[in-house]
Amino acid sequence: MKKTPHYFLFISLLFLAQYGFSQELYMPRNIKEAYEKDTRAMDGKPGKNYWQNHGKYTMEITVDAKTKIVSGTETIVYENNSNDTLQNLPIRFVNNLHKPSSPRSGSVNDDFLSAGLTITSLKIEGEVYKEDGRKWGTVGNVKLNKALLPHSKITINIDWNYPLSKESGREGQIDETTFFVAYSYPRVSVFDDYNFWDRLPHTDRAEFYNDFNDYSYSVKAPKNYVVYATGDLLNPDEVLQPEFSARLKKSYLTDEVMHIANEQEMKSGVVTKQNEWNVWKFEAKNITDVCFGLSDHYLWDASSVVVDKKTNRRASVQAAYDVKGTDFVASVKNNQYALDYFSNNWPGVPYPFSKMTAFQGFADMEYPMMCNDSQIGDPKFAQLVQDHEVAHTYFPFYMGINETRYAFMDEGWATTFEYLIGIAEHGKEEADKFYKTFRVSNYINDPSTEEDQPIISMSTQVSDAGYGNNSYGKASLSYLALKDMLGDDLFKKALHFYMDNWNGKHPIPWDYFNAMNTGSGKNLNWFFNNWFFTNNYIDISVKNVSKNVISVENKGGFAIPFDVNVVYADNTTETVHQTPGVWQANQKTATVILKGKKEIKQINLDGGIFMDATPANNSWSVK
């Protein structure tokens, strides 16, 4: 066939329709530059020039239960895989949040404050650097004596210590002999393709952004302390008495919930080897962080669950809790269900790690392979909180999200999966009620305008209600609206395209938009513009009813799904569902045409979990 100019025009338009979606969406200049350099691609995949840096961390950490000091000796082999020459080495130490001089998003008590990090020795490539870290905030800086060239490595040796804060937040002292040790080691901050060095300080609200690294580390703990940690325990026979090591190993292979150590056994000092100090060794590869908890009296439960039915791979499920921690009695059983659900339903990706441990603390916070949850006194609510934290396994830990800038890319998904697993656990009515109460109601009923900032706003640039609504409820509603519009099968196909291409990497919002476009085979930019780049909110109303034609006005602007509940003159009823696609052609007004010709008596619009700001105008009745 002769290829006419019209043919080439058609092919060009087709190409743009398939791969040029993101050009319609606003992009900051630095994001545009990343796409121009082909580190990211318009088809939703990493670009041909994509790269990310990597660290290999070897650490020996000691926790002194008497002085409450954590100290470490650390070696980092850091790879610069970029084409840039690095003159500086920003070092991140999140726990400097406790220093009185550090900026914070809210007020704290004196017990939260501490002296922060002290570096006792710093060597880079064997050269001694005179740096004690005392002037650092949550990000410090080391000026390199010799620049780190592209595609080369350096070895960093750091000896350090810091005090555990008396008041526990995301980490710190849980009680006199129980500690949760997180963000506990100095690390090289992220150097990436769109922002270069990540120097944003941690202020306790917006969360974290880390490279995927390999970790081999040990925790030196006093006699009778059990250590629960990210990664695989490499030496159970060296730290546990034979009976307890055997119980732990058995738990890796069974669905049975086993009591590895009970209250009396912990009190009797028969669980760990009776050395003055025991060294617990762990390993975790291609992961964004490691943390651990330890206690001399916590109860220890464990089991496992098949997370990949194709390979029969199991993941260990463990719980560590105080005898008064009634919420945690069912933690292992609940997490068996959660890991199975997340692996096989939503998101439908096999749990990617070898372990998940629930540790009783105060944070209600996620960590790789761990969650630190509080005792609430309501087992059902506790299960939901635990579900939420475990869901974070996928976002941000599997997907490498920059939570500091784009919290909606992980909190929104965890909230969505929390809702979906809640339906499976407790039924749709109860899940809807919880979701509306805790994720939507405060946002939609807040009379201020702060919560209506565009979701795409950097998380560090919104505060209080604005941060919470953008990160959790509004973002989750956008994902659920898209699921409603595409249908479960196509939505999951697109989601898997995104996750398959970006796990172990650092996706940004535009990668999500592009990936969902390509994965679904649809141009969804009108939808992403509507939900992420506007000050829209949720407010629809019945504008007009004429025979079998209903005109619906979108006063708030968000493209939401809704039901049209119809009562006819003969008192028969009908419900007609409208997906967000009804707003694609006209985002202000939608027309719903009923198939029947019967006289209409009453109309009610119901958005369900998409709660309306002014529900009074959602109804119409014949006069």
Side-chain angles (χ1 to χ4, degrees):
M1 183 179 77
K2 183 180 179 181
K3 296 183 173 53
T4 67
H6 296 290
Y7 172 84
F8 288 110
L9 177 61
F10 171 78
I11 292 299
S12 298
L13 290 173
L14 181 63
F15 179 85
L16 284 172
Q18 289 182 325
Y19 302 111
F21 298 138
S22 178
Q23 293 175 0
E24 302 171 17
L25 299 175
Y26 163 77
M27 276 191 187
R29 285 171 288 172
N30 62 313
I31 305 298
K32 283 183 180 178
E33 187 176 350
Y35 280 91
E36 290 167 357
K37 289 182 176 180
D38 288 326
T39 55
R40 295 166 194 271
M42 304 298 277
D43 63 359
K45 297 179 182 179
K48 63 181 181 180
N49 297 326
Y50 181 81
W51 55 266
Q52 62 192 50
N53 289 353
H54 180 268
K56 184 177 181 181
Y57 286 67
T58 304
M59 302 183 291
E60 297 177 359
I61 301 173
T62 301
V63 180
D64 190 318
K66 294 180 180 178
T67 64
K68 313 297 192 289
I69 297 293
V70 181
S71 56
T73 296
E74 176 179 357
T75 299
I76 308 169
V77 179
Y78 182 71
E79 295 180 50
N80 177 19
N81 295 317
S82 77
N83 292 323
D84 294 281
T85 297
L86 306 182
Q87 306 286 349
N88 295 280
L89 205 63
I91 303 293
R92 185 170 292 276
F93 188 71
V94 169
N95 272 324
N96 271 351
L97 177 75
H98 294 278
K99 292 176 68 170
S101 57
S102 289
R104 284 177 291 272
S105 58
S107 60
V108 295
N109 295 324
D110 288 346
D111 285 346
F112 184 86
L113 301 175
S114 74
L117 177 71
T118 299
I119 293 175
T120 55
S121 174
L122 174 62
K123 296 179 182 178
I124 300 177
E125 289 294 282
E127 186 176 355
V128 175
Y129 281 65
K130 294 182 179 180
E131 177 61 73
D132 61 11
R134 291 297 186 95
K135 295 181 180 179
W136 290 359
T138 55
V139 184
N141 188 72
V142 176
K143 174 70 175 176
L144 293 172
N145 294 337
K146 182 180 180 182
L148 177 57
L149 298 177
H151 310 287
S152 63
K153 301 179 183 179
I154 55 171
T155 299
I156 307 157
N157 300 101
I158 313 177
D159 294 348
W160 49 266
N161 64 74
Y162 77 97
L164 288 165
S165 61
K166 187 173 182 180
E167 181 183 281
S168 176
R170 289 185 171 102
E171 36 63 42
Q173 300 180 45
I174 308 301
D175 60 40
E176 277 299 311
T177 58
T178 303
F179 319 109
F180 197 80
V181 185
Y183 324 116
S184 60
Y185 56 94
R187 77 185 80 200
V188 180
S189 197
V190 177
F191 184 80
D192 61 32
D193 65 307
Y194 67 91
N195 191 53
F196 304 109
W197 283 116
D198 176 33
R199 298 180 185 272
L200 287 173
H202 176 67
T203 62
D204 204 25
R205 178 180 287 112
E207 293 176 0
F208 310 103
Y209 182 38
N210 300 310
D211 275 322
F212 286 86
N213 300 312
D214 296 335
Y215 292 90
S216 177
Y217 68 107
S218 64
V219 179
K220 185 177 179 181
K223 178 173 61 180
N224 297 324
Y225 277 77
V226 173
V227 179
Y228 312 86
T230 301
D232 298 321
L233 176 60
L234 302 180
N235 63 333
D237 295 333
E238 295 178 11
V239 293
L240 294 170
Q241 298 284 11
E243 180 180 352
F244 299 92
S245 179
R247 291 182 193 176
L248 179 62
K249 291 174 185 177
K250 182 181 177 182
S251 75
Y252 295 156
L253 305 172
T254 182
D255 293 337
E256 176 191 355
V257 178
M258 301 181 62
H259 302 297
I260 307 301
N262 62 31
E263 180 186 13
Q264 188 55 47
E265 289 166 336
M266 290 297 294
K267 282 183 178 179
S268 301
V270 298
V271 177
T272 72
K273 290 292 181 70
Q274 292 301 289
N275 307 309
E276 285 305 306
W277 296 87
N278 288 309
V279 178
W280 301 66
K281 299 177 181 178
F282 299 92
E283 185 177 70
K285 293 185 177 181
N286 195 37
I287 201 164
T288 57
D289 198 5
V290 294
C291 67
F292 59 93
L294 65 161
S295 178
D296 67 353
H297 64 275
Y298 267 23
L299 282 63
W300 185 6
D301 296 344
S303 186
S304 64
V305 60
V306 174
V307 292
D308 189 338
K309 293 181 179 178
K310 291 183 179 179
T311 63
N312 284 322
R313 177 173 63 86
R314 284 182 171 268
S316 173
V317 183
Q318 302 184 32
Y321 57 100
D322 187 76
V323 67
K324 297 178 182 178
T326 55
D327 289 348
F328 291 81
V329 173
S331 272
V332 168
K333 184 178 178 181
N334 290 341
N335 266 344
Q336 283 179 309
Y337 185 91
L339 265 58
D340 177 78
Y341 180 90
F342 294 141
S343 297
N344 295 294
N345 295 278
W346 294 104
V349 172
Y351 180 77
F353 303 127
S354 60
K355 184 198 294 185
M356 172 51 69
T357 301
F359 191 92
Q360 182 182 343
F362 300 116
D364 298 333
M365 182 66 192
E366 72 280 356
Y367 314 78
M369 301 195 209
M370 296 193 78
C371 53
N372 168 1
D373 287 340
S374 52
Q375 164 68 17
I376 300 169
D378 179 346
K380 189 176 289 187
F381 188 84
Q383 181 182 15
L384 186 135
V385 171
Q386 184 172 281
D387 287 345
H388 179 97
E389 310 312 342
V390 174
H392 274 296
T393 292
Y394 296 95
F395 301 86
F397 303 131
Y398 183 61
M399 296 295 288
I401 302 300
N402 185 341
E403 301 174 272
T404 313
R405 288 175 176 264
Y406 310 121
F408 58 87
M409 291 186 72
D410 79 296
E411 293 295 358
W413 282 112
T415 301
T416 298
F417 298 146
E418 157 208 305
Y419 169 68
L420 295 172
I421 194 175
I423 293 173
E425 290 167 343
H426 307 297
K428 190 172 186 304
E429 183 178 352
E430 189 164 341
D432 282 5
K433 180 180 178 181
F434 180 91
Y435 187 91
K436 290 162 75 172
T437 300
F438 289 97
R439 301 306 190 191
V440 189
S441 181
N442 286 343
Y443 149 61
I444 205 64
N445 292 314
D446 189 337
S448 77
T449 59
E450 180 182 28
E451 72 277 13
D452 294 327
Q453 294 301 309
I455 297 175
I456 200 68
S457 304
M458 272 180 57
S459 300
T460 53
Q461 296 174 335
V462 288
S463 60
D464 301 324
Y467 174 85
N469 293 327
N470 271 7
S471 304
Y472 294 81
K474 286 169 66 178
S476 175
L477 287 167
S478 83
Y479 303 140
L480 290 169
L482 187 58
K483 177 176 177 287
D484 184 278
M485 186 170 74
L486 295 181
D488 285 1
D489 291 344
L490 186 56
F491 180 75
K492 183 173 284 188
K493 178 185 175 184
L495 178 60
H496 283 189
F497 182 88
Y498 170 48
M499 296 180 74
D500 290 346
N501 280 290
W502 284 99
N503 74 80
K505 301 178 177 67
H506 292 310
I508 56 178
W510 291 266
D511 299 316
Y512 163 68
F513 303 143
N514 291 334
M516 296 301 283
N517 281 335
T518 300
S520 67
K522 295 179 179 293
N523 188 338
L524 301 170
N525 275 358
W526 73 271
F527 179 88
F528 296 134
N529 264 320
N530 177 281
W531 271 95
F532 288 87
F533 295 88
T534 70
N535 295 81
N536 288 340
Y537 59 102
I538 304 171
D539 186 7
I540 60 175
S541 66
V542 180
K543 185 177 182 180
N544 186 50
V545 178
S546 177
K547 295 185 178 180
N548 65 330
V549 179
I550 302 161
S551 179
V552 180
E553 184 177 4
N554 194 348
K555 293 187 173 183
F558 270 148
I560 66 164
F562 60 94
D563 287 339
V564 181
N565 296 315
V566 186
V567 179
Y568 293 104
D570 61 3
N571 288 325
T572 59
T573 61
E574 181 182 12
T575 297
V576 179
H577 183 69
Q578 300 296 304
T579 79
V582 75
W583 304 108
Q584 182 171 358
N586 183 340
Q587 293 179 28
K588 291 298 182 184
T589 305
T591 300
V592 180
I593 301 175
L594 303 176
K595 293 180 180 179
K597 303 296 183 181
K598 292 190 291 185
E599 184 180 346
I600 297 172
K601 178 180 178 181
Q602 186 176 326
I603 295 290
N604 176 260
L605 307 178
D606 184 4
I609 58 174
F610 294 81
M611 296 177 66
D612 201 286
T614 54
N617 59 15
N618 288 16
S619 298
W620 173 92
S621 297
V622 67
K623 295 180 180 178

